[in-house]
Amino acid sequence: MRALVVDHTAPGHLSLTDVPAPRPAAHEALVRIEAVSLNFGEVHGATRQQLPDGTVLGWDAAGVVVRAAADGSGPAEGERVVTLGETGWAELRAVPAARLGIAPKDADPGALSTVPVAGLSALHVLRRFGSLLGRRVMVTGASGGVGRYAVQLAARSGAHVVAISRNPAQADGLRALGAHEVHPEPAAVRQPVSAVLDNVGGQYLVDAFATLSAGGILYSVGRSSEADAVLPPDALLGDGGRHDRSIRTFFLFGDPTTDFSADLTWLAAEIAAGRLDPGISWRGPWTRHSEAVRALLGRRLHGKAVLDLE
């Protein structure tokens, strides 16, 4: 089969080449991939030469089951699915039932492919905040993949969403997704918030933490700034209604036994019904992968980049 693999001699450090097809285990379905979406972390990891040549990457992919799992778990042959794994940028992928979501037959595979990492991360962090009804919730990096899903899901949960985006051109779009306020940086927010989903890190994390009210929680989800987060000594004081605040880390795969199938199926249905906007800002055939990588690493994208397999 063909796959996108790490190639440090190629533009974007990726090349399209032939690799062995996967051999599914008994608990895995074989999926023919139709579309994939790119995450900054994957692409950035390849360009930094942290991975050897020939490595097949790709967390997010959508397609059709061509062979159901031999043990009877998961979707049947012919089902359209959204998949989560580590080798999705290929024509075929072997996926366990716990990382497969069933999608409507007429769903756009490109839109579905944006769901796994971004959609699940937003959903799982927001759940950890508890009920959001009537609470002020900040989302930094709101115009990115995780951020856009977080804005939409938080708004639907009854939160007053405070979106942070450095690009003023994104303000109207974020309000259309459900944001009640849009600011260029956390330091511009004057009223306290009770929860923060931070996708940026660095000074954004420091300033977002300063906006938390008593008992507030900040989840560090992404570090797109690649900058150190240096907290001044008084940032950790608990006086003046700032007690019991916390910063927590997040890793989607922290519990390897987590079954994501129900959440992936729900998110896929919401995408197919038009109740969630996938935020695709770049789309093309996977032969143009280097163009997508340049746009992503150059931070010219606000949302997701999708590659359609030919």
Side-chain angles (χ1 to χ4, degrees):
M1 67 173 185
R2 292 188 301 167
L4 274 176
V5 304
V6 175
D7 179 356
H8 296 302
T9 67
H13 295 253
L14 295 172
S15 64
L16 191 58
T17 189
D18 291 327
V19 300
R23 295 182 178 181
H27 68 292
E28 294 177 323
L30 187 64
V31 179
R32 175 174 54 81
I33 301 303
E34 298 174 309
V36 303
S37 67
L38 310 183
N39 293 298
F40 180 85
E42 298 162 321
V43 174
H44 192 240
T47 60
R48 295 185 67 181
Q49 302 192 12
Q50 297 173 330
L51 300 168
D53 284 351
T55 303
V56 181
L57 300 176
W59 286 103
D60 300 343
V64 175
V65 175
V66 293
R67 188 190 310 160
D71 66 0
S73 62
E77 181 178 330
E79 293 274 17
R80 172 154 277 125
V81 291
V82 55
T83 75
L84 175 67
E86 299 178 7
T87 57
W89 299 347
E91 291 177 316
L92 294 170
R93 181 183 214 179
V95 193
R99 294 190 174 184
L100 280 170
I102 299 174
K105 296 285 187 183
D106 60 349
D108 172 16
L112 295 175
S113 74
T114 69
V115 163
V117 168
L120 286 173
S121 294
L123 182 64
H124 282 239
V125 170
L126 292 175
R127 282 179 178 163
R128 295 180 189 192
F129 290 137
S131 174
L132 300 180
L133 190 63
R135 297 170 65 189
R136 288 174 56 82
V137 176
M138 179 187 292
V139 179
T140 71
S143 56
V146 176
R148 288 178 59 92
Y149 277 123
V151 167
Q152 294 175 79
L153 293 170
R156 287 177 56 175
S157 299
H160 179 99
V161 180
V162 180
I164 306 298
S165 176
R166 289 174 288 188
N167 188 339
Q170 298 297 313
D172 289 343
L174 289 170
R175 291 190 180 93
L177 294 179
H180 299 82
E181 301 176 30
V182 182
H183 301 277
E185 56 188 15
V189 178
R190 300 306 175 202
Q191 291 182 272
V193 301
S194 63
V196 175
L197 188 157
D198 176 46
N199 292 299
V200 180
Q203 191 61 41
Y204 273 47
L205 183 149
V206 174
D207 293 339
F209 182 69
T211 70
L212 283 176
S213 57
I217 301 171
L218 181 152
Y219 266 99
S220 174
V221 179
R223 288 149 294 281
S224 64
S225 69
E226 300 184 80
D228 292 340
V230 181
L231 292 165
D234 63 354
L236 300 178
L237 293 176
D239 61 349
R242 299 185 296 171
H243 56 282
D244 296 330
R245 297 169 300 146
S246 61
I247 298 174
R248 301 184 185 181
T249 57
F250 172 76
F251 182 50
L252 184 60
F253 308 104
D255 180 355
T257 67
T258 300
D259 187 334
F260 294 107
S261 58
D263 289 338
L264 286 169
T265 297
W266 181 77
L267 288 165
E270 296 302 291
I271 286 284
R275 291 188 289 268
L276 282 176
D277 182 346
I280 299 172
S281 56
W282 190 99
R283 186 168 186 173
W286 70 338
T287 52
R288 293 170 55 195
H289 58 85
S290 60
E291 182 182 335
V293 168
R294 286 196 302 270
L296 190 62
L297 294 179
R299 304 187 187 279
R300 300 194 303 273
L301 295 182
H302 297 280
K304 298 293 289 183
V306 168
L307 301 176
D308 294 301
L309 275 65
E310 299 170 327

